[in-house]
Coordinates of all heavy atoms in Angstrom, one line a residue:
D1504 N 64.7 52.7 0.8 CA 65.8 53.1 -0.1 C 65.8 52.3 -1.4 O 66.9 52.2 -2.0 CB 67.1 52.9 0.7 CG 67.3 51.5 1.2 OD1 66.4 50.7 1.0 OD2 68.3 51.2 1.8
N1505 N 64.6 51.9 -1.8 CA 64.4 51.3 -3.0 C 65.1 49.9 -3.3 O 65.4 49.5 -4.4 CB 64.8 52.2 -4.2 CG 63.8 53.4 -4.3 OD1 62.7 53.3 -4.1 ND2 64.3 54.5 -4.6
N1506 N 65.4 49.3 -2.2 CA 65.9 47.9 -2.3 C 64.8 46.9 -2.2 O 63.6 47.4 -1.9 CB 67.0 47.6 -1.2 CG 68.2 48.4 -1.5 OD1 68.7 48.5 -2.6 ND2 68.8 48.9 -0.4
I1507 N 65.0 45.7 -2.4 CA 64.1 44.6 -2.3 C 64.6 43.6 -1.4 O 65.7 43.2 -1.4 CB 63.7 44.0 -3.6 CG1 63.1 45.1 -4.5 CG2 62.7 42.9 -3.4 CD1 62.8 44.6 -5.9
N1508 N 63.7 43.1 -0.4 CA 64.0 42.0 0.4 C 63.2 40.8 0.0 O 62.0 40.9 -0.2 CB 63.7 42.3 1.9 CG 64.7 43.4 2.5 OD1 65.9 43.4 2.1 ND2 64.2 44.2 3.4
Y1509 N 63.8 39.7 0.0 CA 63.1 38.4 -0.3 C 63.4 37.5 0.8 O 64.5 37.4 1.3 CB 63.5 37.8 -1.6 CG 63.1 38.5 -2.9 CD1 63.9 39.3 -3.6 CD2 61.8 38.3 -3.4 CE1 63.5 39.9 -4.8 CE2 61.4 38.9 -4.5 CZ 62.2 39.7 -5.3 OH 61.9 40.2 -6.4
A1510 N 62.4 36.7 1.1 CA 62.7 35.5 2.0 C 63.6 34.5 1.3 O 63.5 34.4 0.1 CB 61.4 34.8 2.4
D1511 N 64.5 33.9 1.9 CA 65.4 32.9 1.3 C 64.6 31.9 0.6 O 65.0 31.4 -0.4 CB 66.3 32.3 2.3 CG 67.4 33.3 2.9 OD1 67.6 34.3 2.2 OD2 68.0 33.0 4.0
S1512 N 63.6 31.5 1.2 CA 62.7 30.3 0.6 C 62.1 30.6 -0.7 O 61.7 29.7 -1.5 CB 61.6 29.9 1.6 OG 60.8 31.0 1.8
V1513 N 62.0 32.0 -1.2 CA 61.4 32.3 -2.4 C 62.3 32.9 -3.4 O 62.0 33.2 -4.5 CB 60.2 33.2 -2.1 CG1 59.2 32.7 -1.1 CG2 60.6 34.6 -1.7
K1514 N 63.6 33.2 -3.0 CA 64.6 33.8 -3.9 C 64.6 33.0 -5.2 O 64.7 31.7 -5.1 CB 65.9 34.0 -3.2 CG 65.9 35.0 -2.2 CD 67.3 35.2 -1.6 CE 67.4 36.3 -0.7 NZ 68.7 36.4 0.0
D1515 N 64.7 33.6 -6.3 CA 64.9 32.9 -7.6 C 63.6 32.3 -8.1 O 63.6 31.8 -9.2 CB 66.1 31.9 -7.6 CG 67.4 32.6 -7.2 OD1 67.6 33.6 -7.6 OD2 68.2 31.8 -6.6
R1516 N 62.6 32.4 -7.3 CA 61.3 31.8 -7.8 C 60.2 33.0 -7.9 O 59.3 33.0 -8.7 CB 60.8 30.7 -6.9 CG 61.7 29.6 -6.8 CD 61.1 28.4 -6.1 NE 60.8 28.7 -4.7 CZ 59.6 28.6 -4.1 NH1 58.5 28.3 -4.8 NH2 59.4 29.0 -2.8
F1517 N 60.2 33.9 -6.9 CA 59.2 35.0 -6.8 C 59.9 36.3 -7.2 O 61.1 36.5 -6.9 CB 58.7 35.0 -5.4 CG 57.8 34.0 -4.9 CD1 57.7 32.8 -5.7 CD2 57.2 34.0 -3.7 CE1 56.9 31.7 -5.2 CE2 56.4 33.0 -3.2 CZ 56.3 31.9 -4.0
T1518 N 59.1 37.2 -7.8 CA 59.6 38.5 -8.1 C 58.5 39.5 -7.8 O 57.3 39.3 -8.1 CB 59.8 38.6 -9.7 OG1 60.8 37.6 -10.0 CG2 60.3 40.0 -10.0
I1519 N 58.9 40.5 -7.0 CA 58.0 41.6 -6.6 C 58.3 42.8 -7.6 O 59.4 43.1 -8.0 CB 58.2 42.0 -5.2 CG1 57.1 43.0 -4.8 CG2 59.6 42.6 -5.0 CD1 57.2 43.3 -3.3
S1520 N 57.2 43.4 -8.0 CA 57.3 44.6 -8.9 C 56.2 45.6 -8.5 O 55.3 45.2 -7.7 CB 57.2 44.2 -10.3 OG 55.9 43.6 -10.6
R1521 N 56.3 46.8 -9.1 CA 55.2 47.8 -8.8 C 54.9 48.7 -9.9 O 55.8 48.9 -10.8 CB 55.8 48.6 -7.5 CG 57.0 49.3 -7.7 CD 57.4 49.9 -6.4 NE 58.8 50.5 -6.5 CZ 59.5 50.9 -5.4 NH1 59.0 50.9 -4.3 NH2 60.8 51.4 -5.6
N1522 N 53.8 49.3 -9.9 CA 53.4 50.3 -10.8 C 53.0 51.5 -9.9 O 51.9 51.6 -9.3 CB 52.2 49.8 -11.6 CG 51.7 50.9 -12.7 OD1 51.9 52.1 -12.4 ND2 51.3 50.4 -13.8
R1523 N 53.9 52.5 -9.9 CA 53.7 53.6 -8.9 C 52.5 54.4 -9.3 O 51.7 54.9 -8.5 CB 55.0 54.5 -8.9 CG 56.1 53.9 -8.3 CD 57.3 54.9 -8.4 NE 58.5 54.4 -7.8 CZ 58.9 54.5 -6.5 NH1 58.1 55.1 -5.6 NH2 60.1 53.9 -6.1
A1524 N 52.3 54.5 -10.6 CA 51.2 55.3 -11.1 C 49.9 54.8 -10.7 O 48.8 55.5 -10.6 CB 51.3 55.5 -12.6
R1525 N 49.8 53.5 -10.6 CA 48.5 52.8 -10.2 C 48.5 52.3 -8.7 O 47.6 51.7 -8.3 CB 48.3 51.5 -11.1 CG 48.1 51.9 -12.5 CD 47.8 50.7 -13.4 NE 47.6 51.0 -14.8 CZ 47.3 50.1 -15.7 NH1 47.1 48.8 -15.4 NH2 47.1 50.5 -17.0
D1526 N 49.5 52.8 -8.0 CA 49.6 52.4 -6.5 C 49.3 50.9 -6.4 O 48.6 50.5 -5.5 CB 48.6 53.1 -5.8 CG 48.9 54.6 -5.6 OD1 50.2 54.9 -5.5 OD2 48.0 55.5 -5.6
T1527 N 50.1 50.1 -7.2 CA 49.9 48.7 -7.3 C 51.2 48.0 -7.2 O 52.2 48.4 -7.8 CB 49.1 48.3 -8.6 OG1 47.8 49.0 -8.6 CG2 48.9 46.7 -8.6
V1528 N 51.2 46.9 -6.4 CA 52.3 46.0 -6.3 C 52.0 44.6 -6.7 O 50.8 44.2 -6.4 CB 52.9 46.0 -4.8 CG1 54.0 45.0 -4.6 CG2 53.4 47.4 -4.5
Y1529 N 52.9 44.0 -7.3 CA 52.6 42.6 -7.8 C 53.6 41.6 -7.3 O 54.7 42.0 -6.8 CB 52.8 42.6 -9.4 CG 51.9 43.6 -10.1 CD1 52.4 44.8 -10.4 CD2 50.6 43.4 -10.4 CE1 51.8 45.7 -11.1 CE2 49.9 44.3 -11.0 CZ 50.4 45.5 -11.4 OH 49.7 46.4 -12.0
L1530 N 53.2 40.4 -7.3 CA 54.1 39.3 -6.9 C 53.9 38.2 -7.8 O 52.9 37.5 -7.9 CB 53.8 38.7 -5.4 CG 54.8 37.8 -4.9 CD1 56.2 38.3 -4.6 CD2 54.2 37.1 -3.6
Q1531 N 55.0 38.0 -8.7 CA 54.9 36.9 -9.7 C 55.6 35.7 -9.0 O 56.8 35.8 -8.5 CB 55.7 37.2 -10.9 CG 55.9 36.1 -11.8 CD 54.5 35.8 -12.5 OE1 53.7 36.7 -12.9 NE2 54.3 34.5 -12.7
M1532 N 54.8 34.6 -8.9 CA 55.3 33.4 -8.2 C 55.4 32.3 -9.2 O 54.5 31.8 -9.8 CB 54.3 33.0 -7.1 CG 54.1 34.2 -6.1 SD 53.0 33.6 -4.7 CE 51.5 33.4 -5.6
N1533 N 56.7 31.8 -9.4 CA 57.0 30.7 -10.3 C 57.4 29.5 -9.5 O 57.9 29.6 -8.4 CB 57.9 31.1 -11.3 CG 57.4 32.2 -12.2 OD1 56.3 32.4 -12.5 ND2 58.4 33.1 -12.6
S1534 N 57.5 28.3 -10.2 CA 57.9 27.1 -9.6 C 57.3 26.9 -8.2 O 58.1 26.6 -7.2 CB 59.5 27.1 -9.5 OG 60.0 27.3 -10.8
L1535 N 56.1 27.1 -8.1 CA 55.4 27.0 -6.8 C 55.5 25.6 -6.2 O 55.5 24.6 -6.9 CB 53.9 27.4 -6.8 CG 53.7 28.9 -6.9 CD1 52.3 29.2 -7.5 CD2 53.9 29.6 -5.6
K1536 N 55.6 25.5 -4.8 CA 55.7 24.3 -4.1 C 54.6 24.1 -3.1 O 54.0 25.1 -2.7 CB 57.1 24.3 -3.4 CG 58.3 24.5 -4.2 CD 59.6 24.6 -3.4 CE 60.8 24.9 -4.3 NZ 62.0 25.0 -3.4
P1537 N 54.4 23.0 -2.7 CA 53.3 22.8 -1.7 C 53.5 23.7 -0.4 O 52.5 24.1 0.3 CB 53.3 21.3 -1.4 CG 53.8 20.7 -2.7 CD 54.8 21.7 -3.2
E1538 N 54.8 23.9 -0.1 CA 55.1 24.6 1.2 C 54.8 26.1 0.9 O 55.0 26.9 1.9 CB 56.6 24.4 1.6 CG 57.6 24.5 0.5 CD 58.0 23.2 -0.1 OE1 57.0 22.3 -0.4 OE2 59.2 23.0 -0.3
D1539 N 54.5 26.5 -0.3 CA 54.2 27.9 -0.5 C 52.7 28.2 -0.1 O 52.3 29.3 -0.2 CB 54.3 28.3 -1.9 CG 55.9 28.3 -2.3 OD1 56.6 28.8 -1.5 OD2 56.2 27.8 -3.4
T1540 N 51.9 27.1 0.1 CA 50.5 27.2 0.5 C 50.3 28.1 1.7 O 50.9 27.8 2.8 CB 49.9 25.8 0.7 OG1 49.9 25.1 -0.5 CG2 48.4 25.9 1.2
A1541 N 49.5 29.1 1.6 CA 49.4 30.1 2.6 C 48.4 31.1 2.3 O 48.0 31.2 1.1 CB 50.7 30.8 3.0
V1542 N 48.0 32.0 3.2 CA 47.3 33.2 2.8 C 48.3 34.3 2.6 O 49.1 34.4 3.6 CB 46.2 33.6 3.9 CG1 45.5 34.9 3.5 CG2 45.2 32.5 4.2
Y1543 N 48.2 35.0 1.5 CA 49.2 36.0 1.2 C 48.5 37.3 1.5 O 47.4 37.7 1.0 CB 49.6 35.8 -0.3 CG 50.6 34.7 -0.4 CD1 50.2 33.4 -0.3 CD2 52.0 35.0 -0.7 CE1 51.1 32.4 -0.5 CE2 52.9 34.0 -0.9 CZ 52.4 32.6 -0.7 OH 53.3 31.6 -0.9
Y1544 N 49.3 38.2 2.2 CA 48.8 39.5 2.6 C 49.8 40.6 2.1 O 50.9 40.5 2.0 CB 48.8 39.6 4.1 CG 47.9 38.7 4.9 CD1 48.4 37.5 5.3 CD2 46.6 39.0 5.1 CE1 47.5 36.6 6.0 CE2 45.7 38.2 5.8 CZ 46.2 37.0 6.2 OH 45.4 36.1 6.9
C1545 N 49.1 41.7 1.7 CA 49.8 42.9 1.3 C 49.8 43.8 2.4 O 48.9 43.9 3.3 CB 49.0 43.5 0.1 SG 49.7 44.9 -0.6
R1546 N 51.0 44.5 2.6 CA 51.2 45.4 3.7 C 51.9 46.7 3.2 O 52.8 46.6 2.3 CB 52.0 44.7 4.8 CG 52.5 45.6 6.0 CD 53.6 45.0 6.8 NE 54.0 45.8 7.9 CZ 55.0 46.6 7.7 NH1 55.7 46.7 6.7 NH2 55.5 47.3 8.8

Side-chain angles (χ1 to χ4, degrees):
D1504 54 359
N1505 290 324
N1506 289 320
I1507 296 175
N1508 290 326
Y1509 287 103
D1511 288 342
S1512 60
V1513 307
K1514 283 181 180 177
D1515 300 324
R1516 298 189 299 123
F1517 291 10
T1518 302
I1519 189 172
S1520 61
R1521 60 189 171 188
N1522 184 324
R1523 292 180 183 272
R1525 296 184 177 183
D1526 290 325
T1527 302
V1528 172
Y1529 307 95
L1530 185 68
Q1531 178 66 44
M1532 305 185 293
N1533 298 327
S1534 302
L1535 282 161
K1536 305 175 182 180
E1538 51 263 44
D1539 294 317
T1540 295
V1542 178
Y1543 284 70
Y1544 297 91
C1545 184
R1546 170 192 180 268

